[in-house]
């Protein structure tokens, strides 16, 4: 049928017979039905019903075993009652019709009673028994014996006869009663009992499953659907903070809702921040382009100053020339900021003391009241990009100078120190220390993030982010020493000179 294989035709677009036959052939070859999507609610209901049925089955096994024992006990009790009726009858005899009636109502073929010394047949079978009875002695039967006998009853051939031996309720301990009963009667009652139990189990499973599924739907599924829809809506427009209101629950669902709200807020802020960064990058690129042109004119002017005969001009001109060259390089590097690639470092062997000297002079230029100390040994050489290292150290010194300048007037005189410690044969640690107010606790965890909260007035929050990027580009790393109680100490880990670039570890 068309509906069975998922193809339907209309008057405007009839079904292609070739496609229909091909689909039918695919169904026959694979033996699979079309995929049916089952939701979480349906799965919960199916699993609940299945688990309840398993529990019912585990209860059913001892129940049906007890039903078998009770079935035999009822027949034995009926046989004793019939034997008692026979004892009070005249001459201990009953008519053939009454005997057949008693045996028929109790589903017995014959009854005998006695003890170890002698026994007496109370009721004889109405007709000869065709097959040899299978003996079942209930006097010593355990629960496990009765349980495994159920399989024998279920798999036995039709027409089998059982000889059941049991204790009597009256008489001595050696007294017993022996009944002959057709196994078909027992099997029929066991089947009817099993069907009743199955129907009751299905009913209980459906009721319990419905209640559990309904409860899970309102407690779990529905809130999770709300969270899922909120995530899907937020995924379509991450920059827009979706209006998701937590339910106020204090369980795992409530925690997931609060986590979703926090995640949405963080991602939305990140998208907006990235958008601002992109806009800022575009504006800075335009400014850098114009700045590079202006600096080219300044370089021409510095060339003219180099030819001056004034000794003071000749002494300051080289430093001015280097500053203009760095500014031009910075402007050109800014034009490449929008690219996804990390800045490429041109690694060479450099003398650390000279780089630190220039960085200190440039970093404290805006705060001449701050004193500085270059405590780097003249023999220390590192493997780094000179321009990147200068920019990195100058950024750290400039930040330290700004922090010291914002201190109260009665604070101790400001001091910035650059030192170096050799870690091992491969690495060196450069320290940029100051005795300023230090870094606030709330800023420490995100100090290297772009546009992070800055305590310096007028700070953009980009300086340390650029510093970290430069350190990573040179195969090193920069971190804040959080164990310092006064001031701030930044640690820059770089490679010692003489080690190949392939040995730089991340």
């Amino acid at each position: 049928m068309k509906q069975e294989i998922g193809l339907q035709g209309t008057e405007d677009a009839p079904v292609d017979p070739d496609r229909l036959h091909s689909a039918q052939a695919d169904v026959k070859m694979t033996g699979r039905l079309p995929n049916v999507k089952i939701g979480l609610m349906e799965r919960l209901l199916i699993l609940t019903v299945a688990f309840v049925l398993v529990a019912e089955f585990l209860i059913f096994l001892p129940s049906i075993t007890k039903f078998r024992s009770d079935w035999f006990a009822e027949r034995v009790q009926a046989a004793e009652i019939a034997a008692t009726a026979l004892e009070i009858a005249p001459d201990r005899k009953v008519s053939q019709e009454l005997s057949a009636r008693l045996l028929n109502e109790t589903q017995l073929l014959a009854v005998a009673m006695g003890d170890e010394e002698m026994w007496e047949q109370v009721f004889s079978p109405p007709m000869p028994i065709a097959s040899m009875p299978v003996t079942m002695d209930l006097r010593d039967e355990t629960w496990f014996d009765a349980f495994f006998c159920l399989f024998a009853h279920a798999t036995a051939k039709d027409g089998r006869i059982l000889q059941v031996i049991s204790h009597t309720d009256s008489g001595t301990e050696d007294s017993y009663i022996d009944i002959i009963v057709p196994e078909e009667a027992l099997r029929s009652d066991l089947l009817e009992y099993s069907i009743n139990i199955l129907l009751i189990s299905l009913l209980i499973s459906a009721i319990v499953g419905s209640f559990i599924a309904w409860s899970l739907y309102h407690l779990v599924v529905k809130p999770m659907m709300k969270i899922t829809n909120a995530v899907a809506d937020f995924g379509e427009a991450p920059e827009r903070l979706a209006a998701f209101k937590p339910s106020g629950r204090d369980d795992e669902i409530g925690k997931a809702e609060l986590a979703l709200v926090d995640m949405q807020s963080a991602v939305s802020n990140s998208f907006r921040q990235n958008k601002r960064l992109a806009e800022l990058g575009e504006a800075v690129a335009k400014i850098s382009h114009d700045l590079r042109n202006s600096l080219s004119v300044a370089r021409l002017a510095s060339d003219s100053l180099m030819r001056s005969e004034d000794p003071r001009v000749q002494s300051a001109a080289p430093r001015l020339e280097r500053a203009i060259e760095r500014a031009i390089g910075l402007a050109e590097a800014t034009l490449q900021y929008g690219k996804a690639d990390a800045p490429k470092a041109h690694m060479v062997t450099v003398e650390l003391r000279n780089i630190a000297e220039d960085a200190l002079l440039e970093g404290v230029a805006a705060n001449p009241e701050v004193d500085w100390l270059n405590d780097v040994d003249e023999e220390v050489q590192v493997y780094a990009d000179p321009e990147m290292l200068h920019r990195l150290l100058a950024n750290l010194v400039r930040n330290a100078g700004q922090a010291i300048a914002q201190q109260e007037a009665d604070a101790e005189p400001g001091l910035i120190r650059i030192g170096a410690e050799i870690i091992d044969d491969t690495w060196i640690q450069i320290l940029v220390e100051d005795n300023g107010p230090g870094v606030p606790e709330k800023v420490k965890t995100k100090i290297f993030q772009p546009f992070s909260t800055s305590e310096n007035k007028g700070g953009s929050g980009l300086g340390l982010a650029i510093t970290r990027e430069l350190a990573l580009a040179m195969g090193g790393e920069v971190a804040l020493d959080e164990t310092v109680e006064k001031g701030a100490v930044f640690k820059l880990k770089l490679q010692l000179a003489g080690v190949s670039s392939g040995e730089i570890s991340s």
Side-chain angles (χ1 to χ4, degrees):
M1 295 176 64
K2 298 177 183 179
Q3 187 177 1
E4 294 176 343
I5 61 176
L7 296 175
Q8 294 181 344
T10 61
E11 294 181 358
D12 297 334
V15 176
D16 186 358
D18 294 336
R19 180 167 172 259
L20 176 60
H21 295 159
S22 176
Q24 290 175 337
D26 292 340
V27 172
K28 292 179 180 179
M29 290 177 62
T30 59
R32 299 177 182 175
L33 294 175
N35 293 331
V36 178
K37 294 183 179 180
I38 300 179
L40 184 58
M41 181 67 178
E42 291 76 12
R43 294 181 183 181
L44 288 173
L45 181 59
I46 293 174
L47 288 175
T48 304
V49 171
F51 292 152
V52 174
L53 286 178
V54 170
E56 290 285 345
F57 178 74
L58 296 177
I59 298 174
F60 169 74
L61 294 179
S63 298
I64 195 171
T65 303
K66 185 177 184 302
F67 177 83
R68 171 188 175 275
S69 300
D70 293 342
W71 192 89
F72 282 133
E74 290 176 1
R75 270 63 190 169
V76 169
Q77 187 178 15
E80 287 192 72
I81 294 174
T84 303
L86 180 62
E87 289 180 359
I88 63 176
D91 300 329
R92 294 176 55 85
K93 292 183 179 180
V94 294
S95 63
Q96 189 71 19
E97 180 181 357
L98 180 58
S99 176
R101 182 180 175 185
L102 289 174
L103 293 176
N104 183 56
E105 290 182 355
T106 56
Q107 296 177 312
L108 301 175
L109 298 180
V111 178
M113 298 183 68
D115 51 30
E116 298 297 333
E117 296 180 356
M118 61 175 295
W119 64 277
E120 177 184 7
Q121 188 169 6
V122 180
F123 292 99
S124 301
M127 60 183 65
I129 299 177
S131 60
M132 180 65 66
V134 177
T135 302
M136 291 188 175
D137 194 342
L138 303 182
R139 293 175 295 181
D140 299 324
E141 187 179 65
T142 64
W143 184 89
F144 290 100
D145 296 333
F147 174 74
F148 288 110
C149 283
L150 291 172
F151 298 97
H153 297 319
T155 58
K157 296 181 180 180
D158 294 339
R160 197 170 75 159
I161 305 300
L162 303 179
Q163 180 184 9
V164 182
I165 302 175
S166 176
H167 288 291
T168 60
D169 293 336
S170 60
T172 63
E173 294 182 358
D174 295 335
S175 301
Y176 67 90
I177 185 169
D178 188 341
I179 62 175
I180 305 297
V181 61
E183 190 177 33
E184 184 63 30
L186 172 61
R187 185 155 47 192
S188 176
D189 288 346
L190 286 175
L191 179 60
E192 182 180 358
Y193 177 80
S194 301
I195 293 175
N196 292 335
I197 290 295
L198 176 61
L199 294 177
I200 293 174
S201 300
L202 290 175
L203 180 61
I204 293 176
S205 300
I207 295 175
V208 173
S210 299
F211 277 113
I212 294 179
W214 182 86
S215 301
L216 289 176
Y217 175 77
H218 287 277
L219 292 176
V220 180
V221 178
K222 189 175 181 180
M224 289 304 300
M225 289 175 60
K226 181 181 177 182
I227 294 176
T228 303
N229 294 334
V231 172
D233 294 340
F234 183 70
E236 295 178 357
E239 72 282 356
R240 173 177 52 85
L241 186 60
F244 177 78
K245 183 179 180 181
S247 60
R249 296 168 52 167
D250 57 356
D251 55 6
E252 288 75 8
I253 298 295
K255 294 178 181 178
E257 292 174 343
L258 294 177
L260 174 60
V261 173
D262 294 339
M263 182 272 295
Q264 286 182 335
S265 178
V267 173
S268 180
N269 291 336
S270 177
F271 268 80
R272 287 196 295 269
Q273 186 179 83
N274 290 340
K275 184 178 180 181
R276 291 197 298 267
L277 280 173
E279 295 173 349
L280 177 61
E282 183 179 355
V284 170
K286 296 177 181 179
I287 296 173
S288 298
H289 181 271
D290 296 338
L291 180 61
R292 183 180 58 178
N293 296 334
S294 300
L295 289 173
S296 298
V297 176
R299 182 163 56 181
L300 294 176
S302 67
D303 292 339
S304 301
L305 292 176
M306 291 287 290
R307 295 191 293 269
S308 175
E309 297 180 356
D310 190 335
R312 292 176 299 177
V313 175
Q314 291 181 353
S315 175
R319 185 169 294 173
L320 175 62
E321 180 72 17
R322 289 196 299 270
I324 294 175
E325 291 291 340
R326 292 193 189 99
I328 293 175
L330 178 60
E332 292 177 348
T334 306
L335 294 176
Q336 304 296 325
Y337 184 77
K339 295 184 178 180
D341 297 336
K344 186 176 181 180
H346 301 283
M347 308 293 285
V348 295
T349 298
V350 296
E351 295 181 356
L352 180 58
R353 181 176 178 84
N354 294 336
I355 299 291
E357 188 87 10
D358 291 342
L360 285 167
L361 289 172
E362 181 179 328
V364 300
N367 305 103
E369 72 279 4
V370 178
D371 197 5
W372 55 270
L373 174 62
N374 186 358
D375 205 11
V376 178
D377 194 277
E378 294 181 355
E379 298 179 357
V380 175
Q381 294 181 335
V382 295
Y383 188 67
D385 183 308
E387 294 301 322
M388 285 188 175
L389 181 57
H390 172 85
R391 289 175 57 193
L392 191 156
L393 294 177
N395 278 345
L396 294 177
V397 173
R398 187 179 299 107
N399 285 350
Q402 292 174 355
I404 293 174
Q406 294 175 13
Q407 290 188 117
E408 297 179 0
D410 57 348
E412 62 178 306
L415 175 64
I416 302 174
R417 170 186 174 272
I418 296 183
E421 300 174 351
I422 296 179
I423 301 176
D424 50 34
D425 295 339
T426 305
W427 298 98
I428 185 173
Q429 184 170 262
I430 303 172
L431 305 176
V432 180
E433 307 174 354
D434 68 75
N435 62 348
V439 180
E441 288 293 332
K442 63 180 180 179
V443 182
K444 288 182 178 180
T445 58
K446 52 183 179 179
I447 193 171
F448 291 104
Q449 297 178 7
F451 295 104
S452 60
T453 303
S454 175
E455 295 295 318
N456 296 334
K457 296 179 180 180
S460 63
L462 284 173
L464 291 178
I466 296 174
T467 298
R468 182 176 182 273
E469 187 178 66
L470 294 174
L472 294 176
M474 292 186 290
E477 58 183 20
V478 62
L480 172 67
D481 188 351
E482 298 184 9
T483 62
V484 178
E485 296 182 358
K486 180 173 178 56
V489 177
F490 286 88
K491 297 181 178 181
L492 172 62
K493 183 180 178 182
L494 287 179
Q495 190 179 16
L496 278 171
V499 182
S500 65
S501 59
E503 296 177 351
I504 297 176
S505 62
S506 59

